Amino acid sequence: EEDVLAVFGLVSRKSLEGLAEAVLKGDMAVILKLVAVFDSAGKDMRRLVVELMEHFRNLLVYQFVGEEMANLDVTPEQISVLAEQAVLAEPARVIQIADQLGEMEGRLRFALSVRTMIEMSLIRCARLARAVSLDAVLKKLQEMRTGEEASPEVVPVPCASDKSSSPSKLDLYADPALKHVLKEFDGRVLEVDSVG
């Protein structure tokens, strides 16, 4: 298998799954290390992106159909890996990652440095995977205010049509309670959007 992968410049499934896991965990150091290893070993970097897209597509399908993926020409070993990775990110995040990879794949043919573009795109994907949504921030804020766990449906989300009661982004960031919540999420919030 190693000889075949070397001849065609392909990355092993295990290495590909390791890269996907690093993206889902937001582990920038591992991402950069693996990309450097693949590039220095003469791997086909464009093919790597296509296979990574396929992996995230399979992950998304698994998140929706679960073990029934066995009917979709996926090995039991792959299903086991997908099950482990499915808990690392919500389906919405996986879709965003797949979109980012799709955009990168379209731009690769014009890139002067394929490796740099892949690294930058995978770092963006890792940030997307670990970013905390506004819903999660609001839920945590509600829990802190009430002193008990809040269900998602009782989280107050500002209505886009109600401009008079909708706070601006600056107002949201100035809220002392929200500042405390942002500390709870350890700086993983990329942006707070005041409109639900």
Side-chain angles (χ1 to χ4, degrees), residues 100-148:
Q100 179 69 39
L101 291 172
E103 287 178 26
M104 171 179 55
E105 198 267 335
R107 294 192 311 252
L108 274 180
R109 70 192 74 173
F110 307 110
L112 295 176
S113 173
V114 171
R115 174 177 167 178
T116 301
M117 179 168 281
I118 290 173
E119 288 173 338
M120 298 300 292
S121 294
L122 291 179
I123 287 171
R124 283 192 198 100
C125 289
R127 288 192 50 154
L128 286 171
R130 304 313 300 163
V132 179
S133 69
L134 179 59
D135 287 342
V137 172
L138 290 174
K139 181 178 178 184
K140 185 72 175 176
L141 183 59
Q142 183 72 12
E143 289 173 9
M144 291 174 63
R145 285 185 173 160
T146 61
E148 58 189 44

Side-chain angles (χ1 to χ4, degrees), residues 47-116:
R47 179 71 188 166
L48 169 69
V49 173
V50 171
E51 290 181 356
L52 200 55
M53 284 174 58
E54 185 177 335
H55 177 80
F56 279 103
R57 173 260 180 202
N58 288 341
L59 180 59
L60 186 63
V61 172
Y62 178 86
Q63 288 178 320
F64 286 106
V65 303
E67 299 296 323
E68 294 176 27
M69 273 197 79
N71 302 327
L72 301 176
D73 198 27
V74 180
T75 67
E77 292 81 11
Q78 286 175 296
I79 291 176
S80 175
V81 170
L82 293 172
E84 291 172 10
Q85 293 185 358
V87 299
L88 297 177
E90 303 167 349
R93 299 289 185 204
V94 176
I95 291 172
Q96 290 176 322
I97 291 170
D99 287 345
Q100 179 69 39
L101 291 172
E103 287 178 26
M104 171 179 55
E105 198 267 335
R107 294 192 311 252
L108 274 180
R109 70 192 74 173
F110 307 110
L112 295 176
S113 173
V114 171
R115 174 177 167 178
T116 301

